[in-house]
């Protein structure tokens, strides 16, 4: 039985093509770690690499979905896997985007929010609500009024010369791009209450497709720091260059 279709028990990774081996390994490491957590059989890195390494002539993104197959009972287990690979043209975003504070809350103890699962309905609802109100996306907040992330990106905040990002214990999925930045830049994890957003100078969203974009947040007078965003993007792009 297809447990991904029945119960949302599946995983996915999204990446820009062409992709360096270093970045590809980051995606695989996260996929494999989550597969082990949920008990889903996982392909080898060699198989994953073969599926994701394709020639492209224009800006493209690839979505690798790991399908769980197994028992039909929802409390049962997966004993095999399938794959769904989607390749689409990618149009990068430029400038800045606007975010609102989503009215839909997340609980920090929810284990699924720490993994990139195909059970994506909560994220869909957050995104739709934001778009209906004229925003690019919504910022998800947990039960303690702590900022988490958007429906599809991690958050960075600037104060002085220091970048901050919400702490893992607030209930976030750490993206591969955020991992890269933590390796090469001083990025501090903190529990950030919504009311503290006004204390920062600027904010950014980061993920594997957009790299980094400056954002406006409804109700908070943060500056649009395009120069800082470009510097962060350069760090991300340098990681992708094969040495």
């Amino acid at each position: 039985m297809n447990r991904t279709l029945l119960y949302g028990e599946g995983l996915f990774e999204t990446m820009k093509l062409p992709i360096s081996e270093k970045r590809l390994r980051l995606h695989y490491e996260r996929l494999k770690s989550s597969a082990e957590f949920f008990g889903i059989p996982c392909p080898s890195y060699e198989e994953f690499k073969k599926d994701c390494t394709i020639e492209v002539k224009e800006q493209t993104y690839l979505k690798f979905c790991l399908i769980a197959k197994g028992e039909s009972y929802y409390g049962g287990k997966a004993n095999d896997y399938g794959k769904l690979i989607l390749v689409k043209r990618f149009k990068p975003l430029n400038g800045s985007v606007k975010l609102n504070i989503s009215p839909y809350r997340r609980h920090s103890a929810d284990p699924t929010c720490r993994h990139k699962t195909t059970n994506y309905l909560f994220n869909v609802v957050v995104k739709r609500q934001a778009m209906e109100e004229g925003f690019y996306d919504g910022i998800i907040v947990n039960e303690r009024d702590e900022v988490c992330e958007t429906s599809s990106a991690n958050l960075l905040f600037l104060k002085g010369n220091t970048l901050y990002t919400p702490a893992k214990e607030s209930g976030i999925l750490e993206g591969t791009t955020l991992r890269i930045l933590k390796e090469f830049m001083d990025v501090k994890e903190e529990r950030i209450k919504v009311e503290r957003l006004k204390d920062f100078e600027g904010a950014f969203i980061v993920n594997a497709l957009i790299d980094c974009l400056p954002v406006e947040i409804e109700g908070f007078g943060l500056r649009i720091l395009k120069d800082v965003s470009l510097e962060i993007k350069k760090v991300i792009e340098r990681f992708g260059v094969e040495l």
Side-chain angles (χ1 to χ4, degrees):
M1 298 296 292
N2 186 328
R3 295 183 59 83
T4 302
L5 177 62
L6 292 175
Y7 309 118
E9 185 181 339
L11 303 166
F12 74 97
E13 291 291 329
T14 307
M15 62 200 78
K16 282 191 297 187
L17 299 181
I19 187 169
S20 70
E21 179 124 8
K22 291 194 295 184
R23 292 201 75 164
L24 188 63
R25 282 192 176 275
L26 286 181
H27 284 284
Y28 179 75
E29 288 168 5
R30 181 171 62 178
L31 180 79
K32 189 173 188 297
S33 175
S34 293
E36 290 173 351
F37 179 85
F38 290 110
I40 303 172
C42 185
S44 66
Y45 174 69
E46 290 71 25
E47 182 179 348
F48 179 77
K49 179 180 177 181
K50 183 178 179 180
D51 289 329
C52 298
T53 308
I54 62 174
E55 292 186 10
V56 295
K57 296 182 179 179
E58 58 185 354
Q59 290 183 307
T60 306
Y61 77 88
L62 180 145
K63 184 174 182 178
F64 179 98
C65 301
L66 182 64
I67 308 299
K69 297 182 177 181
E71 300 175 37
S72 60
Y73 174 57
Y74 79 95
K77 297 181 180 180
N79 52 36
D80 196 6
Y81 69 87
K83 297 175 293 185
L84 175 64
I85 299 166
L86 305 173
V87 179
K88 293 186 178 182
R89 184 179 179 184
F90 174 66
K91 185 177 181 180
L93 290 170
N94 295 308
S96 62
V97 295
K98 296 181 180 181
L99 309 178
N100 69 349
I101 303 297
S102 177
Y104 306 116
R105 295 297 181 103
R106 166 183 294 169
H107 199 286
S108 59
D110 179 0
T112 62
C113 69
R114 291 173 170 80
H115 302 271
K116 204 170 183 71
T117 76
T118 53
N119 188 347
Y120 218 60
L121 193 54
F122 176 78
N123 303 63
V124 169
V125 171
V126 170
K127 181 74 170 182
R128 282 180 181 166
Q129 188 278 335
M131 292 175 64
E132 288 170 359
E133 296 294 328
F135 298 93
Y136 172 74
D137 205 347
I139 294 177
I140 300 167
V141 176
N142 71 13
E143 78 282 4
R144 297 187 295 263
D145 288 329
E146 295 170 351
V147 172
C148 298
E149 58 198 356
T150 74
S151 72
S152 62
N154 289 126
L155 289 161
L156 290 174
F157 301 99
L158 180 69
K159 186 174 183 180
N161 295 318
T162 305
L163 287 170
Y164 296 84
T165 193
K168 294 187 188 73
E169 54 263 34
S170 292
I172 72 162
L173 166 65
E174 183 177 68
T176 56
T177 303
L178 182 58
R179 283 187 60 188
I180 291 169
L181 290 174
K182 286 180 176 179
E183 184 174 342
F184 294 99
M185 300 182 74
D186 182 19
V187 180
K188 294 186 177 181
E189 283 191 25
E190 282 196 6
R191 291 185 174 184
I192 302 170
K193 296 273 192 178
V194 174
E195 62 190 29
R196 277 191 58 202
L197 292 181
K198 65 181 184 299
D199 298 330
F200 294 103
E201 298 163 31
F204 314 87
I205 52 174
V206 295
N207 68 23
L209 295 186
I210 63 173
D211 288 333
C212 180
L213 277 180
V215 299
E216 296 179 54
I217 302 176
E218 181 190 28
F220 299 90
L222 279 65
R223 294 158 55 198
I224 303 300
L225 302 176
K226 294 183 179 180
D227 291 344
V228 177
S229 178
L230 287 174
E231 289 301 314
I232 295 171
K233 189 172 182 178
K234 287 178 183 178
V235 172
I236 298 166
E237 290 174 342
R238 282 201 298 269
F239 181 85
V241 176
E242 297 289 7
L243 301 177

